[in-house]
Amino acid sequence: MKSTILKSGLLALTLISTITSCSKKYEGYTINGNIPGQKDGMIYLEFVGGDKNILKDSTKILDGHFTFSGKVEEPLRYSIKLKGQEYGRVFILSNETIAFAANKDSIFTAKLIGATQDSIYSGYYKNEFKKIQSIAEPVYKASDSISQNGKVKPTPEQKALMDKRWTDLQTLADNLTYKFIESHKDKIAGALVLDDRLVTYGTPEQVKKYYGILTPEIQKSYFGKKIKTAIDLNDKTAVGVLAPEFSQTDVNGKIVKLSDYKGKYVLVDFWASWCGPCRKENPNVLLAYKTYHDKGFNVLGVSLDDKKNLWEKAIEKDGLTWTHVSDLKGWKNEAAILYGVKLVPTNYLIGPDGKIVAKNLREEALQAKLKEIFSKS
């Protein structure tokens, strides 16, 4: 009798285990959408990653309602949009039930209920980032007022005052971002904010430090692996390492190689005609070139343009007399990808031995570094 009861109990446990494992195997997401005024039509679910969104699912809208269901292996960025629309509502999709409500003319502002991971991630921009912006706005206005939008050079006193305000702003931003990542180190949101705010705008040291805070599970996630790739790429273009070789054509179609500059100091300057901050920095690079070119300093401009005529007009208008190259692939410029360029302007000062001496030298920092180098020669 006891044997029969024991066997029955084991059978029951086995069945429960089987049912549980089956239910987990087929767990997934359900998105219940409501778009008042959109009686019918098609709506699309796309994976957001890389250079182009990837269509994952589509369904018909019936009397303003639609449903998507499926399963994701981990939380990832997806977008929902109507046929013919360029932009959709981007969000973090997890295996959960989500309510999606939107106006047909502004799908990208849709409200979500039940998207847990997306809610945590969005919280950073609604709170920490909003606070950073509120403090940054008057600092930017003060800077523009003092310089009259770049037309007037600030006095030493004004510069010292603004330098302190910029430093204080950066410290605040770093602290708020760090605290968010630390408190969400076991969430996708922690990795996403790190990728958004620091991989592009922070220092390599910050990225490494904050990546180390993330839990092993998050480090192994899609976004964690993406950050690790950026770290590895930064290591390949770190100060002290041999600069990766590349070659591209100049405005006349001649092939120019980085190694052509071996034995000299060269500033590899990634820029573009459409980049306002690049054009604003060009006079500073021009001053450095004029001051130190005769002493062995060169500039190699690498443009992220995709239209040759606009590239050439900018070179002529800004009076940039050094060599310029581009493959005219825009953000897909092969040299930019090789160096992990995420924004422009970005520059690398490379020494006579082909090793990277410094990165992202702008304004007075560029002049000071060159003065330090050439005052010894």
Side-chain angles (χ1 to χ4, degrees):
M1 182 69 176
K2 286 183 180 179
S3 176
T4 303
I5 295 173
L6 180 60
K7 287 179 180 178
S8 298
L10 289 172
L11 178 60
L13 285 172
T14 301
L15 288 171
I16 292 170
S17 175
T18 302
I19 293 168
T20 303
S21 62
C22 285
S23 65
K24 285 183 178 178
K25 183 178 180 182
Y26 293 102
E27 275 181 355
Y29 62 81
T30 299
I31 304 171
N32 296 311
N34 181 24
I35 309 176
Q38 185 72 33
K39 292 290 183 181
D40 53 24
M42 294 295 295
I43 193 159
Y44 302 92
L45 179 68
E46 297 179 338
F47 167 68
V48 179
D51 298 324
K52 191 176 181 180
N53 292 359
I54 300 172
L55 179 63
K56 289 294 184 179
D57 201 357
S58 63
T59 190
K60 290 183 178 179
I61 298 170
L62 299 175
D63 197 24
H65 294 85
F66 68 88
T67 299
F68 284 116
S69 60
K71 182 180 180 180
V72 288
E73 295 303 316
E74 61 177 309
L76 294 170
R77 272 194 176 112
Y78 278 77
S79 171
I80 289 178
K81 69 179 184 181
L82 291 170
K83 184 177 182 179
Q85 288 187 337
E86 184 176 359
Y87 301 106
R89 173 61 159 94
V90 178
F91 64 104
I92 310 302
L93 178 59
S94 301
N95 292 318
E96 52 194 346
T97 300
I98 299 170
F100 180 102
N103 184 293
K104 66 177 182 178
D105 297 320
S106 54
I107 291 290
F108 59 91
T109 63
K111 292 183 178 180
L112 304 176
I113 298 175
T116 309
Q117 299 294 331
D118 188 74
S119 179
I120 296 171
Y121 168 62
S122 300
Y124 170 82
Y125 288 96
K126 292 176 181 177
N127 298 295
E128 286 85 355
F129 191 69
K130 192 172 182 180
K131 184 175 181 178
I132 294 167
Q133 283 185 313
S134 68
I135 296 173
E137 187 176 353
V139 178
Y140 277 100
K141 285 183 177 179
S143 179
D144 288 341
S145 176
I146 288 172
S147 67
Q148 294 183 27
N149 293 316
K151 296 176 183 178
V152 176
K153 187 176 181 178
T155 65
E157 292 78 14
Q158 289 173 326
K159 183 180 180 306
L161 175 64
M162 287 310 305
D163 283 349
K164 184 179 186 307
R165 293 189 69 177
W166 286 120
T167 299
D168 290 345
L169 174 61
Q170 190 62 59
T171 300
L172 170 74
D174 288 346
N175 287 341
L176 287 174
T177 302
Y178 177 83
K179 288 178 181 177
F180 181 90
I181 294 171
E182 186 177 37
S183 61
H184 298 89
K185 60 187 177 183
D186 59 343
K187 302 288 192 301
I188 288 297
L192 272 170
V193 169
L194 171 52
D195 188 36
D196 288 350
R197 307 310 312 163
L198 294 168
V199 169
T200 299
Y201 304 105
T203 66
E205 294 74 24
Q206 283 178 317
V207 176
K208 280 187 178 182
K209 176 183 176 182
Y210 294 0
Y211 174 78
I213 292 170
L214 302 177
T215 61
E217 182 183 4
I218 298 302
Q219 288 182 355
K220 293 175 184 175
S221 70
Y222 172 87
F223 298 108
K225 290 176 181 176
K226 185 180 177 185
I227 296 166
K228 184 60 168 62
T229 298
I231 290 172
D232 293 342
L233 186 56
N234 273 324
D235 287 343
K236 291 179 182 178
T237 56
V239 172
V241 306
L242 195 66
E245 171 72 310
F246 68 88
S247 63
Q248 291 193 2
T249 55
D250 66 11
V251 292
N252 298 313
K254 178 185 175 183
I255 295 176
V256 178
K257 298 183 293 183
L258 176 61
S259 55
D260 293 340
Y261 292 87
K262 195 166 185 180
K264 299 178 181 180
Y265 282 94
V266 58
L267 185 75
V268 178
D269 185 30
F270 291 94
W271 73 296
S273 67
W274 44 260
C275 167
C278 301
R279 305 294 293 274
K280 187 177 179 180
E281 178 65 12
N282 277 344
N284 182 53
V285 180
L286 183 59
L287 174 62
Y289 183 75
K290 288 180 177 179
T291 305
Y292 297 102
H293 179 58
D294 290 342
K295 296 183 179 181
F297 172 66
N298 286 272
V299 179
L300 176 59
V302 183
S303 173
L304 272 66
D305 277 278
D306 56 10
K307 293 180 175 59
K308 188 177 181 182
N309 63 319
L310 298 179
W311 173 37
E312 291 180 320
K313 283 181 181 178
I315 293 171
E316 183 180 359
K317 185 174 182 179
D318 292 2
L320 312 180
T321 56
W322 50 84
T323 300
H324 293 268
V325 299
S326 180
D327 57 14
L328 297 175
K329 294 181 181 179
W331 280 108
K332 294 182 181 180
N333 181 288
E334 292 179 10
I337 293 172
L338 179 66
Y339 277 72
V341 174
K342 300 293 184 183
L343 75 164
V344 284
T346 289
N347 63 47
Y348 294 83
L349 180 61
I350 300 169
D353 58 0
K355 292 182 179 180
I356 296 172
V357 175
K359 298 167 67 170
N360 291 325
L361 294 170
R362 299 194 186 100
E363 299 179 355
E364 288 86 354
L366 175 60
Q367 309 298 332
K369 187 64 179 179
L370 293 176
K371 183 178 180 180
E372 174 194 331
I373 289 170
F374 291 106
S375 63
K376 298 175 183 178
S377 57

